[in-house]
């Protein structure tokens, strides 16, 4: 049994997470009484239909319970550290169609909780009253995430508070324990297999959706039935759109009007599976027909160096703005060496010309959400290089981040810069003409930040020779 399997053979550490959140709350409340109350996401039917809406568990609820079932709730007493899970009562009509649900006894054995009860207003109100000694201490909940009947009942608790719990949970989620890291690692292992299968399939694909299908098949077959996000499967210039979602463009046969003769277009895949609510987030860019064109290889090498130098900066306490800055410095050096940019490196950086080729942030937190919480982004920042950073400030040990540099040739972004009287001179339009067909290159790995450095949780291939060999049928998928 692998270390990951050994860790995941135990229960999801719900009580540890509750205690972590309670500790943060205590530091703000200045006392240690109160009860946390959170509801799971509700099951819903599609409009004018008896088909259910695809279910996705509320992340704050899962973090404190480890339970992915709909229509549940939990209470956690801060002073007694007592965690109670409430599961739906049996609905005889539902049993006819869906079978028996999880029983109270089964739930006690499955989850890291102290007690399991049926989710009824009476049970919840009784528990809230007993936890708080009859109206003593606040009931802590998240605004707009509780049902109407419970909301009315909370009126009997004058100290109810919805101002602190959400931020306490989001702060707690930034650093991951061994169980969470194991889930992210497993999601990455399956995602890497899916990327390899998609790369292999790409050589004979006639449409982007065929590559997407190969990816999804591997994820489902290996245990990641849910995708962490809507995947991106973009050939050629489609990859210049950061969140391209169509995934349905035709792929010309080799020699059939392809701009990169002899090698074919690049394909960018940004897709990942989800393991028990925890996400991977992996991007690979590779030559669909088996070999990089000179232009594509040159751009890919720049993105590789951007990632390598950013990774070298990572350790506990690194300032994320410094990582973003280094990514742009390396991008400028690379684009200058290719002749796409011209002029003084310092001036190009100060005028933010590189943002036209690398418009997004270097990465984000990863966990229960793909763009996980706690990053304190500032999308109102007037500095174009920093505006889309999803993490601001220092990154602690135990955080999992993505490192995803890219170089893109997006006409919508670059052409206005070319026409700008102050900025256009920094770009050599004749040289740039050779690179439009590259589209975009992004390389994205999932990184665990440690006290002295980092660990890469992503194993999908990314070396030039490795990618070419895999597409050409060499090596295992």
């Amino acid at each position: 049994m692998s270390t990951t399997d050994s860790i995941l053979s135990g229960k999801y550490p719900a009580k540890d997470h509750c205690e972590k959140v309670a500790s943060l709350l205590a530091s703000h409340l200045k006392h240690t009484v109160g009860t946390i109350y959170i509801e799971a996401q509700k099951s819903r039917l599609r409009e004018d239909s008896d088909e259910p809406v695809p279910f996705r568990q509320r992340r704050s609820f899962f973090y404190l319970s480890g339970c992915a079932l709909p229509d549940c709730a939990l209470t956690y007493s801060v002073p007694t550290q007592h965690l109670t899970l409430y599961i739906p009562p049996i609905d005889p009509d539902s049993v006819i169609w869906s079978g028996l649900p999880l029983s109270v006894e089964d739930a006690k054995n499955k989850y890291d909780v102290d007690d399991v009860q049926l989710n009824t207003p009476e049970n919840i109100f009784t528990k809230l009253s007993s936890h708080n000694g009859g109206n003593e201490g606040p009931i802590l909940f998240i605004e707009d995430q509780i049902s109407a009947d419970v909301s009315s009942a909370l009126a009997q608790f004058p100290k109810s508070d919805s101002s602190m719990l959400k931020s306490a949970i989001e702060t707690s989620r930034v650093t991951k324990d061994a169980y969470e890291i194991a889930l992210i690692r497993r999601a990455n292992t399956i995602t890497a297999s899916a990327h390899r299968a998609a790369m292999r399939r790409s050589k004979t694909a006639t449409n982007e959706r065929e590559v997407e299908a190969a990816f999804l098949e591997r994820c489902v077959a290996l245990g990641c039935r849910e995708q962490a996000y809507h995947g991106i499967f973009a050939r050629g210039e489609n990859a210049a759109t950061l969140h391209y979602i169509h995934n349905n463009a035709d792929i010309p046969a080799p020699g059939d009007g392809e701009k990169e003769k002899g090698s074919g277009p690049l394909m960018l895949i940004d897709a990942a599976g989800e393991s028990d609510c925890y996400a991977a987030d992996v991007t690979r860019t590779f030559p669909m027909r088996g070999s990089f064109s000179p232009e594509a290889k040159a751009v890919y090498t720049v993105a590789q160096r951007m990632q390598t130098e950013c990774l070298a900066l990572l350790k506990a306490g690194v300032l994320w703005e410094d990582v973003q800055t280094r990514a742009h410095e390396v991008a400028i050096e690379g684009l200058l060496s290719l002749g796409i940019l011209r002029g003084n490196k310092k001036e190009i950086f100060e005028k933010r010309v590189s943002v036209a080729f690398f418009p997004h942030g270097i990465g984000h937190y990863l966990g229960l959400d793909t763009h996980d919480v706690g990053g304190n982004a500032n999308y109102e920042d007037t500095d174009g290089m920093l505006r889309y950073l999803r993490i601001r400030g220092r990154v602690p040990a135990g955080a999992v981040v993505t490192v995803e540099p890219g170089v893109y040739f997006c006409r919508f972004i670059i052409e206005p810069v070319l026409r700008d009287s102050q900025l256009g001179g920094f770009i050599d339009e004749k040289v740039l003409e050779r690179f439009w067909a590259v589209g975009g290159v992004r390389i994205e790995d999932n990184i665990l930040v440690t006290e002295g450095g980092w660990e890469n949780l992503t194993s999908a291939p990314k070396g030039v020779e490795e990618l070419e060999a895999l597409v050409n049928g060499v090596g295992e998928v």
Side-chain angles (χ1 to χ4, degrees):
M1 181 182 290
S2 69
T3 302
T4 297
D5 290 339
S6 177
I7 293 171
L8 297 180
S9 66
K11 293 181 179 181
Y12 181 89
K15 290 202 65 177
D16 287 348
H17 293 174
C18 289
E19 291 169 20
K20 187 176 182 182
V21 170
S23 178
L24 278 175
L25 289 168
S27 68
H28 292 288
L29 293 168
K30 308 303 180 186
H31 54 71
T32 57
V33 298
T35 300
I36 294 170
Y37 175 74
I38 296 183
E39 294 180 1
Q41 191 59 264
K42 308 295 185 186
S43 55
R44 305 193 314 277
L45 297 180
R46 292 175 177 171
E47 188 174 43
D48 299 325
S49 171
D50 62 358
E51 283 293 312
V53 173
F55 179 74
R56 186 178 189 270
Q57 184 59 283
R58 182 169 281 152
R59 272 18 193 181
S60 56
F61 179 83
F62 187 88
Y63 184 69
L64 298 185
S65 70
C67 177
L69 299 174
D71 306 316
C72 296
L74 68 82
T75 56
Y76 178 76
S77 169
V78 174
T80 66
Q81 300 182 336
H82 191 278
L83 176 60
T84 303
L85 174 67
Y86 304 85
I87 63 174
I90 292 177
D91 176 4
D93 289 337
S94 178
V95 172
I96 296 173
W97 302 102
S98 305
L100 285 168
L102 192 72
S103 70
V104 168
E105 200 59 39
D106 289 339
K108 287 180 180 178
N109 292 329
K110 182 174 183 177
Y111 302 116
D112 179 29
V113 298
D114 298 300
D115 189 20
V116 178
Q117 297 184 21
L118 296 180
N119 188 8
T120 65
E122 295 79 14
N123 283 345
I124 289 173
F125 184 72
T126 298
K127 183 66 72 170
L128 291 176
S129 298
S130 66
H131 277 189
N132 288 275
N135 298 351
E136 292 180 9
I139 305 298
L140 304 158
F141 63 98
I142 298 175
E143 192 72 41
D144 300 324
Q145 293 187 11
I146 59 174
S147 51
D149 52 355
V150 175
S151 180
S152 298
L154 289 181
Q156 300 183 48
F157 297 92
K159 295 181 181 179
S160 297
D161 187 287
S162 62
S163 66
M164 291 175 284
L165 181 58
K166 186 174 186 288
S167 62
I169 292 174
E170 291 181 351
T171 300
S172 297
R173 282 171 53 182
V174 169
T175 55
K176 308 298 192 288
D177 54 40
Y179 199 99
E180 293 176 287
I181 293 166
L183 285 173
I184 297 171
R185 194 188 302 275
R186 185 170 70 181
N188 262 277
T189 299
I190 293 172
T191 294
S193 295
H195 272 275
R196 289 193 292 269
M199 291 175 189
R200 181 66 56 84
R201 180 68 181 88
S202 71
K203 191 164 188 179
T204 57
T206 60
N207 190 285
E208 292 167 341
R209 60 178 170 261
E210 296 172 34
V211 183
E212 181 179 19
F215 185 94
L216 294 174
E217 187 280 331
R218 280 292 80 197
C219 282
V220 174
L222 295 175
C224 282
R225 294 187 63 184
E226 303 296 332
Q227 293 294 286
Y229 49 94
H230 184 91
I232 298 166
F233 297 81
R235 71 165 292 276
E237 293 191 30
N238 292 339
T241 300
L242 299 184
H243 283 177
Y244 174 80
I245 61 172
H246 301 297
N247 303 342
N248 62 1
D250 288 335
I251 301 169
D256 184 14
E258 290 186 345
K259 295 180 180 180
E260 297 178 86
K261 294 178 181 178
S263 54
L266 293 180
M267 172 162 268
L268 184 153
I269 298 178
D270 184 343
E274 178 182 292
S275 179
D276 289 343
C277 295
Y278 278 79
D281 185 1
V282 177
T283 306
R284 291 294 183 261
T285 311
F286 58 92
M288 295 187 67
R289 301 309 184 199
S291 62
F292 284 91
S293 71
E295 290 80 10
K297 186 174 182 179
V299 175
Y300 191 87
T301 301
V302 173
Q304 274 188 312
R305 186 180 161 223
M306 290 168 71
Q307 190 188 53
T308 298
E309 299 217 11
C310 287
L311 289 172
L313 297 177
L314 297 191
K315 62 180 180 179
V318 65
L319 189 65
W320 200 241
E321 289 86 346
D322 288 347
V323 184
Q324 178 80 349
T325 296
R326 188 57 189 147
H328 276 270
E329 290 172 344
V330 176
I332 291 168
E333 293 166 4
L335 294 172
L336 282 169
S337 70
L338 297 181
I340 296 172
L341 292 182
R342 58 191 177 190
N344 179 270
K345 181 170 67 173
K346 182 179 178 182
E347 191 174 3
I348 290 171
F349 176 81
E350 290 175 346
K351 291 185 178 296
R352 300 301 195 244
V353 179
S354 56
V355 173
F357 298 90
F358 175 41
H360 60 79
I362 189 63
H364 51 80
Y365 286 135
L366 181 70
L368 281 166
D369 285 302
T370 304
H371 296 157
D372 213 14
V373 295
N376 300 312
N378 177 18
Y379 299 127
E380 302 302 316
D381 198 321
T382 57
D383 186 335
M385 189 185 77
L386 302 177
R387 181 181 176 189
Y388 294 115
L389 270 186
R390 297 182 188 275
I391 302 173
R392 302 303 293 264
R394 300 194 180 277
V395 179
V400 177
V401 299
T402 64
V403 177
E404 49 181 301
V407 178
Y408 310 88
F409 299 91
C410 178
R411 294 179 186 274
F412 181 80
I413 299 175
I414 296 174
E415 286 179 346
V417 179
L418 288 171
R419 295 191 297 267
D420 188 292
S421 60
Q422 296 185 13
L423 303 177
F426 290 106
I427 302 175
D428 189 320
E429 194 166 357
K430 289 184 178 180
V431 176
L432 175 64
E433 189 64 31
R434 301 190 349 248
F435 289 88
W436 289 118
V438 173
V441 171
R442 181 163 66 251
I443 308 170
E444 177 180 19
D445 290 341
N446 305 161
I447 307 298
L448 171 64
V449 178
T450 64
E451 285 294 343
W454 51 275
E455 179 188 352
N456 196 337
L457 305 179
T458 303
S459 59
K462 60 181 177 178
V464 169
E465 293 181 359
E466 188 180 15
L467 292 172
E468 291 180 335
L470 186 58
V471 174
N472 285 314
V474 178
E476 295 183 6
V477 173

